[in-house]
Amino acid sequence: MMNPFRIAQRLREIGLSGINQRNADYVLRYNPRKFYPRVDDKVLTKQLAIEHGLPVPELYAVVREEHEIEELHAKIKDRESFVAKPAHGSGGDGILVITGRRGAKYRRSNGHLMDQEDFEHHLSNTLSGLFSLGGQPDAVLVEYCVQFDPVFDHVSYKGVPDVRVIVFRGYPVMAMIRLPTRLSDGKANLHQGAIGVGIDIPTGLTRRGVWGNEPVKEHPDTEHSIIGLQIPRWEELLHIAARASEMSGLGYVGVDLVLDKNLGPLILELNARPGLSIQIANGNGLLHRLKKVEEIAVPATDPAERVAFSRENFPTV
Amino acid sequence: MKKTQLYILAFVVSAIGLSWAWYKWQVLQFPLSPREEVEVWSIEARLEFQGNGGPNKVRLQLPSRGSGEVPGFAVIDERLISRGYSEQMTKPKGAEGRQVEWVIRRASGRQVLYYRANVVRDTAEVVESGEPKLREPPELTEAQQAAIDTIFEGVKERSADIATFTREFVREFIGEDPSDEARSLLDGIVTSEDRAQFMARALAIRGIPARVLHGLSLGESKAFQTLQPFLQVHNGTTWVAINIDTAEEGLPENFFLWTRSPRDLLVVESDRRPKIEFSVQRNLADAVAIATRRTEVRSENLVKYSLMGLPVEMQSVYRILLTVPIGAFVMLILRNLIGIKTFGTFMPVLIALAFRETKLLSGVILFTLMVSLGLLARFYLERLRLLLVPRLTSVLILVILLMSLVSVIAHQLDIPVGLSIALFPMVIMTMTIERMSIAWDERGPGTAIKEGVGSMIVACIAYLAMTYPPLEHLVFVFPEILLVLLGITLLLGRYSGYRLMELFRFRALAREREAAMAKGAVVPPGGTGGNP
């Protein structure tokens, strides 16, 4: 066991950022409070993205009132699969993924069947604010269910893997892909047991994985290697992330994207306080990269230029 | 730039808090620790005289009550006991001090009046009032005149200034064997009172303003004391006191100045030789109460516009309320420096407040029990698919029923647990149950239990800090200490280092780097960040 001071010193050497530093030096300094609704309200995020011509999953319906829940069944009767999520949810909480139907019942992504009553109860809970920050009344978004790219078939367990890119002043600085596991119940949340895999920004290749606090090389459920996978349409993905941060007005933002089989990268959501686990997944701290971006006096207006800079400077070994 | 501003602000805020607290501690003498006691002297003057059957008037010189007018002491309260007499306190015009006048229409036989005062030590700056004035020179025979001139000549030889001159002059009249001149001057002067008065007047011959003080020595309890006269001369700038028995300069340590008025101490119309006796009783009293009284004597507004000026019930509320910042501060340390995860931001502080009413151990047991039972109930209700608000309401109803059940059972089993539950903990418990169950649903039992235990730990530590008696006393008597807490909090607000738990969380990365360094692989600072 190393002593705490030594740990702190080593972590400082690799430029690891703690929560306090992330909040004080980046979130508080670069993220104006007034732009928070743009990322906290997913309905608003979607609208903004569409205005900016950025790809997002198609919106099927928005439920705001209790009585609209019943009407929803009719509205989406033609959709085989869809996702229902709270507009103000955080960390993937309260997201319901429906992949099919069986009679009047819905089949969830984990294979369980859900009857209409259960489904309505879940939506009603969401509307009451069970999943929103501070328990505020919320809305439900019903949207296109991503048909994720087969590249990840072998390395995810019943769920949608997503790519998280940290974008600072418009420059993508670090990225990882989150792979759901049996433990995470199909959710792509590291706290709940998903695997985080660091991505080398210049090449779009996965480099190293972390599960909990342990480094892993294979997916624990499928036994397939998670190292050396090529993320499809990587350049395009970085572009979207860089532009999404521009649209949000936030200087330090986490952009969550999914890769659709047919549609390519789609923006799922943005996060004004992206977590720190991405550093473990990349085996490296954020600070040296962030400093490098801070040294740029005036960020380039062309996203392509910013992406080029990032691909040149931020490799993950 | 902004950081400098913050440092300055934090420093100023802390400095204000500290200096105000220091002033209260050093000057107003509020005690730093609870249950501290200070000496209080009850001085009683007992007046006895004969009435002549007709109207009577009695006049007594009293100690001053103004701030600093009694060096080293302060009169915190006083009382007159005089059956049948009407009384009036006056401040005689043009004269020093304060006096009381008792008047009665008819009085005969032995009469007894009392004056009582409670006196405590005080460090207020001494106000030496009184214009220097020459006394009437004494009437002397020719022989005495010659004697005093001889003495003055001798004294002048041995002295440098007015103080030393007076000291040497007094010394002539004391000692084993006074000179013939001194003996002739003291002819017919018996009491030390008369001697002091004579000396004060004699010094006027040489143009030295002098007066006589009267006071008591406060030490241990002592009955049947008389006032002790002291000679005071003015050296052009200040008054200097000289002991007429030892010729020492300055007032003794425990000297309580009764009066510096030139008038007679006690004048009774009907009786030429009234008797007056003093007794001193030394007691110990609560330091806070005494300090409050003393401050009140000094300046009424200081107390009126402080917490001590509130009604007692409100004070006891503030006694608790003022400890909340301590709890919040503990919470800040545990969350931002250690990194313990809790429910909500201030929930643990509220739980700690609730513990005040249940005490720690029974509080923890009760809380755990109630929260577990409430959670069970809630999970069942969840299966019934109730909406959020009705579900919360049902949980609240159940919690109250469960709590009353626990109280009844505990009472029957003679366990005092749960009998002290008040309204407040109930609400907190319900909120905790709701928060916990949401965390349970959303982030899994692991996180919920982790945050629950975290909240409990923080609540326990906060409770211990908030109920630690010296700390509780400190923030109540010196609320300005909280400004210091604010200063530290402002500084911690810019702490951007690692939290202790983060070191644990990221330790694998540190170990990796350690291993790389051991292998001799040169990893430039910045690692793979690409910085050369």
Side-chain angles (χ1 to χ4, degrees), chain B residues 80-124:
Chain B
L80 298 166
I81 301 166
S82 49
R83 202 188 296 183
Y85 285 79
S86 71
E87 65 220 17
Q88 196 191 8
M89 301 272 194
T90 51
K91 210 170 157 65
K93 264 190 215 126
E96 294 290 311
R98 219 161 54 100
Q99 62 183 18
V100 60
E101 257 181 13
W102 280 286
V103 185
I104 198 166
R105 179 64 62 85
R106 194 166 292 130
S108 54
R110 196 174 67 110
Q111 303 283 309
V112 180
L113 300 175
Y114 293 93
Y115 166 82
R116 279 192 198 137
N118 284 328
V119 172
V120 292
R121 286 191 199 282
D122 190 22
T123 51

Coordinates of all heavy atoms in Angstrom, one line a residue, chain B residues 80-124:
Chain B
L80 N -31.0 48.8 48.4 CA -31.1 49.5 49.7 C -32.2 48.9 50.6 O -33.2 48.5 50.1 CB -31.5 51.0 49.4 CG -30.6 51.8 48.6 CD1 -31.3 53.0 48.1 CD2 -29.3 52.1 49.4
I81 N -31.9 48.7 51.8 CA -32.9 48.1 52.7 C -33.1 49.1 53.8 O -32.2 49.4 54.6 CB -32.4 46.8 53.3 CG1 -32.1 45.8 52.2 CG2 -33.5 46.2 54.2 CD1 -31.4 44.6 52.6
S82 N -34.3 49.7 53.8 CA -34.6 50.7 54.8 C -36.1 50.8 55.0 O -36.8 51.3 54.2 CB -34.2 52.1 54.2 OG -34.7 52.2 52.9
R83 N -36.5 50.1 56.1 CA -38.0 50.1 56.3 C -38.5 51.4 56.7 O -38.0 52.0 57.7 CB -38.3 49.0 57.3 CG -39.8 48.5 57.2 CD -40.2 47.6 58.3 NE -39.4 46.4 58.2 CZ -39.6 45.4 59.1 NH1 -40.5 45.5 60.0 NH2 -38.9 44.3 59.0
G84 N -39.5 51.9 56.1 CA -40.2 53.1 56.5 C -39.6 54.4 55.9 O -40.2 55.4 55.9
Y85 N -38.4 54.3 55.4 CA -37.7 55.5 54.9 C -38.0 55.6 53.4 O -38.1 54.6 52.7 CB -36.2 55.4 55.1 CG -35.7 55.6 56.5 CD1 -35.8 54.6 57.5 CD2 -35.2 56.9 56.8 CE1 -35.4 54.9 58.8 CE2 -34.8 57.1 58.1 CZ -34.9 56.1 59.1 OH -34.5 56.4 60.4
S86 N -38.1 56.8 52.9 CA -38.1 57.0 51.5 C -36.7 57.3 51.1 O -35.9 58.0 51.8 CB -39.1 58.1 51.1 OG -38.5 59.3 51.5
E87 N -36.3 56.8 49.9 CA -34.9 57.0 49.6 C -34.7 57.7 48.2 O -35.6 57.6 47.4 CB -34.2 55.6 49.5 CG -34.7 54.8 48.4 CD -34.9 53.3 48.9 OE1 -34.8 53.0 50.1 OE2 -35.0 52.5 48.0
Q88 N -33.6 58.3 48.0 CA -33.3 59.0 46.8 C -31.8 59.0 46.5 O -31.0 59.4 47.3 CB -33.9 60.5 46.8 CG -34.0 61.1 45.5 CD -34.2 62.6 45.5 OE1 -34.2 63.2 46.6 NE2 -34.5 63.1 44.4
M89 N -31.5 58.5 45.3 CA -30.1 58.5 44.9 C -29.8 59.8 44.2 O -30.6 60.2 43.3 CB -29.8 57.4 43.9 CG -30.2 56.0 44.4 SD -28.7 55.3 45.2 CE -29.2 53.6 45.3
T90 N -28.8 60.5 44.6 CA -28.4 61.7 43.9 C -27.0 61.8 43.5 O -26.2 61.1 44.1 CB -28.7 63.0 44.8 OG1 -28.1 62.7 46.0 CG2 -30.2 63.1 45.0
K91 N -26.7 62.6 42.6 CA -25.3 62.9 42.2 C -25.1 64.3 42.6 O -25.5 65.2 41.8 CB -25.1 62.6 40.7 CG -23.7 62.1 40.5 CD -23.5 61.7 39.0 CE -22.1 61.7 38.6 NZ -21.2 60.8 39.3
P92 N -24.5 64.6 43.7 CA -24.4 66.0 44.2 C -23.6 66.8 43.1 O -22.7 66.4 42.5 CB -23.6 65.9 45.5 CG -23.0 64.5 45.5 CD -23.8 63.7 44.6
K93 N -24.1 68.0 43.0 CA -23.6 68.9 42.0 C -22.2 69.4 42.4 O -21.9 69.6 43.6 CB -24.4 70.2 41.8 CG -25.4 70.0 40.7 CD -26.1 71.4 40.4 CE -27.5 71.1 39.9 NZ -28.5 71.8 40.7
G94 N -21.2 69.4 41.4 CA -19.9 69.9 41.7 C -19.1 69.0 42.6 O -18.0 69.3 42.9
A95 N -19.6 67.9 43.1 CA -18.9 67.0 44.0 C -18.7 65.7 43.3 O -19.3 65.3 42.4 CB -19.6 66.9 45.3
E96 N -17.7 65.0 43.9 CA -17.4 63.6 43.4 C -18.4 62.6 43.8 O -19.1 62.8 44.9 CB -16.0 63.2 43.9 CG -14.9 64.1 43.4 CD -14.7 63.8 42.0 OE1 -14.6 62.6 41.6 OE2 -14.6 64.8 41.2
G97 N -18.6 61.6 43.1 CA -19.3 60.4 43.5 C -20.8 60.5 43.5 O -21.4 61.3 42.9
R98 N -21.4 59.7 44.3 CA -22.8 59.5 44.3 C -23.3 59.3 45.8 O -22.5 58.9 46.6 CB -23.1 58.1 43.6 CG -24.2 58.0 42.7 CD -24.0 56.8 41.8 NE -23.8 55.6 42.6 CZ -24.7 54.7 42.9 NH1 -25.9 54.8 42.4 NH2 -24.4 53.6 43.6
Q99 N -24.5 59.7 46.0 CA -25.0 59.5 47.4 C -26.4 59.1 47.5 O -27.1 59.3 46.5 CB -24.7 60.8 48.2 CG -25.5 62.0 47.7 CD -25.2 63.3 48.4 OE1 -24.2 63.4 49.1 NE2 -26.1 64.2 48.3
V100 N -26.8 58.6 48.6 CA -28.2 58.3 48.8 C -28.7 59.0 50.0 O -28.0 59.3 51.0 CB -28.4 56.7 49.0 CG1 -27.7 56.2 50.2 CG2 -29.9 56.4 49.1
E101 N -30.0 59.5 49.9 CA -30.6 60.2 51.0 C -31.8 59.5 51.4 O -32.7 59.2 50.6 CB -30.9 61.6 50.6 CG -30.0 62.7 51.0 CD -30.3 64.1 50.6 OE1 -31.5 64.3 50.2 OE2 -29.5 64.9 50.7
W102 N -31.8 59.1 52.7 CA -33.0 58.5 53.3 C -33.8 59.6 54.1 O -33.2 60.3 54.9 CB -32.6 57.4 54.3 CG -32.2 56.1 53.6 CD1 -33.1 55.2 53.0 CD2 -30.9 55.5 53.5 NE1 -32.4 54.1 52.6 CE2 -31.0 54.3 52.9 CE3 -29.6 56.0 53.9 CZ2 -30.0 53.4 52.6 CZ3 -28.6 55.1 53.7 CH2 -28.7 53.9 53.0
V103 N -35.0 59.6 54.0 CA -35.8 60.6 54.7 C -37.0 59.8 55.4 O -37.6 58.9 54.8 CB -36.4 61.6 53.8 CG1 -37.1 62.7 54.6 CG2 -35.3 62.2 52.9
I104 N -37.3 60.3 56.7 CA -38.5 59.7 57.3 C -39.2 60.8 58.1 O -38.5 61.7 58.6 CB -38.1 58.5 58.2 CG1 -39.3 57.6 58.6 CG2 -37.3 58.9 59.5 CD1 -39.0 56.3 59.1
R105 N -40.5 60.7 58.3 CA -41.3 61.7 59.0 C -41.0 61.6 60.5 O -40.8 62.6 61.2 CB -42.8 61.5 58.7 CG -43.7 62.4 59.4 CD -43.5 63.9 58.9 NE -43.7 64.1 57.5 CZ -44.9 64.4 57.0 NH1 -46.0 64.4 57.7 NH2 -45.1 64.6 55.7
R106 N -41.0 60.4 61.0 CA -40.9 60.2 62.4 C -40.1 58.9 62.7 O -40.4 57.9 62.1 CB -42.2 60.1 63.1 CG -42.2 60.2 64.6 CD -43.6 60.4 65.1 NE -44.2 61.7 64.7 CZ -45.4 61.9 64.2 NH1 -46.1 60.8 63.9 NH2 -45.8 63.1 63.9
A107 N -39.0 59.0 63.5 CA -38.2 57.8 63.8 C -37.7 58.0 65.2 O -37.1 59.0 65.6 CB -37.1 57.7 62.8
S108 N -37.9 56.9 66.0 CA -37.3 57.0 67.3 C -36.7 55.6 67.7 O -37.0 54.6 67.1 CB -38.4 57.3 68.4 OG -39.4 56.4 68.3
G109 N -35.7 55.7 68.6 CA -35.1 54.4 69.0 C -34.0 54.0 68.0 O -33.6 54.8 67.2
R110 N -33.5 52.8 68.1 CA -32.4 52.4 67.3 C -32.9 52.1 65.9 O -33.9 51.5 65.6 CB -31.9 51.1 67.9 CG -30.5 50.7 67.4 CD -30.0 49.5 68.1 NE -30.9 48.3 67.8 CZ -30.4 47.3 67.0 NH1 -29.1 47.3 66.6 NH2 -31.2 46.3 66.7
Q111 N -32.2 52.7 65.0 CA -32.5 52.6 63.6 C -31.4 51.9 62.8 O -30.2 52.1 63.1 CB -32.7 54.0 62.9 CG -33.7 54.9 63.6 CD -35.1 54.5 63.2 OE1 -35.4 54.3 62.1 NE2 -36.0 54.3 64.2
V112 N -31.8 50.9 61.9 CA -30.7 50.2 61.2 C -31.1 50.3 59.7 O -32.2 50.0 59.3 CB -30.6 48.7 61.6 CG1 -29.5 48.0 60.8 CG2 -30.3 48.6 63.1
L113 N -30.2 50.7 58.9 CA -30.3 50.8 57.4 C -29.2 50.0 56.8 O -28.1 49.8 57.3 CB -30.3 52.2 56.9 CG -31.3 53.2 57.4 CD1 -31.0 54.6 56.9 CD2 -32.7 52.7 57.0
Y114 N -29.5 49.4 55.6 CA -28.5 48.6 54.9 C -28.3 49.1 53.4 O -29.3 49.5 52.8 CB -28.9 47.2 54.8 CG -28.9 46.4 56.1 CD1 -30.1 46.3 56.8 CD2 -27.7 45.8 56.6 CE1 -30.1 45.7 58.0 CE2 -27.8 45.2 57.8 CZ -29.0 45.1 58.5 OH -29.0 44.4 59.7
Y115 N -27.1 49.0 53.0 CA -26.8 49.2 51.6 C -26.0 48.0 51.1 O -25.0 47.6 51.8 CB -26.0 50.5 51.3 CG -25.4 50.5 49.9 CD1 -26.2 51.0 48.8 CD2 -24.1 50.2 49.6 CE1 -25.7 51.0 47.5 CE2 -23.6 50.2 48.4 CZ -24.4 50.6 47.3 OH -23.9 50.7 46.0
R116 N -26.5 47.3 50.1 CA -25.8 46.1 49.6 C -25.4 46.3 48.1 O -26.2 46.8 47.3 CB -26.7 44.9 49.7 CG -26.7 44.3 51.1 CD -27.3 42.9 51.1 NE -27.6 42.7 52.5 CZ -28.8 42.1 52.9 NH1 -29.7 41.8 52.0 NH2 -29.0 41.9 54.1
A117 N -24.2 45.9 47.8 CA -23.8 46.0 46.4 C -23.0 44.7 46.0 O -22.3 44.1 46.8 CB -22.8 47.1 46.2
N118 N -23.2 44.2 44.8 CA -22.5 43.1 44.3 C -21.4 43.6 43.3 O -21.7 44.4 42.4 CB -23.4 42.1 43.5 CG -24.2 41.3 44.5 OD1 -23.7 41.0 45.6 ND2 -25.4 40.9 44.1
V119 N -20.2 43.2 43.6 CA -19.0 43.7 42.9 C -18.2 42.6 42.2 O -18.1 41.6 42.8 CB -18.2 44.5 43.9 CG1 -16.9 44.9 43.3 CG2 -18.9 45.7 44.5
V120 N -17.9 42.9 41.0 CA -17.0 41.9 40.3 C -15.8 42.6 39.8 O -15.7 43.9 39.7 CB -17.7 41.2 39.1 CG1 -18.8 40.3 39.6 CG2 -18.2 42.2 38.1
R121 N -14.8 41.8 39.4 CA -13.6 42.5 38.8 C -13.9 43.0 37.4 O -14.7 42.4 36.7 CB -12.5 41.4 38.6 CG -11.8 41.0 39.9 CD -10.6 40.2 39.7 NE -10.2 39.5 40.9 CZ -9.6 40.1 41.9 NH1 -9.3 41.4 41.8 NH2 -9.3 39.4 43.0
D122 N -13.2 44.1 37.0 CA -13.5 44.7 35.7 C -12.2 45.3 35.3 O -11.4 45.8 36.1 CB -14.6 45.7 35.9 CG -15.0 46.2 34.5 OD1 -14.8 45.5 33.5 OD2 -15.6 47.3 34.4
T123 N -12.0 45.2 34.0 CA -10.7 45.8 33.5 C -10.9 47.0 32.7 O -10.0 47.5 31.9 CB -10.0 44.7 32.5 OG1 -11.0 44.3 31.6 CG2 -9.5 43.6 33.3
A124 N -12.1 47.6 32.8 CA -12.3 48.9 32.1 C -11.3 49.9 32.4 O -10.7 49.9 33.5 CB -13.7 49.4 32.5

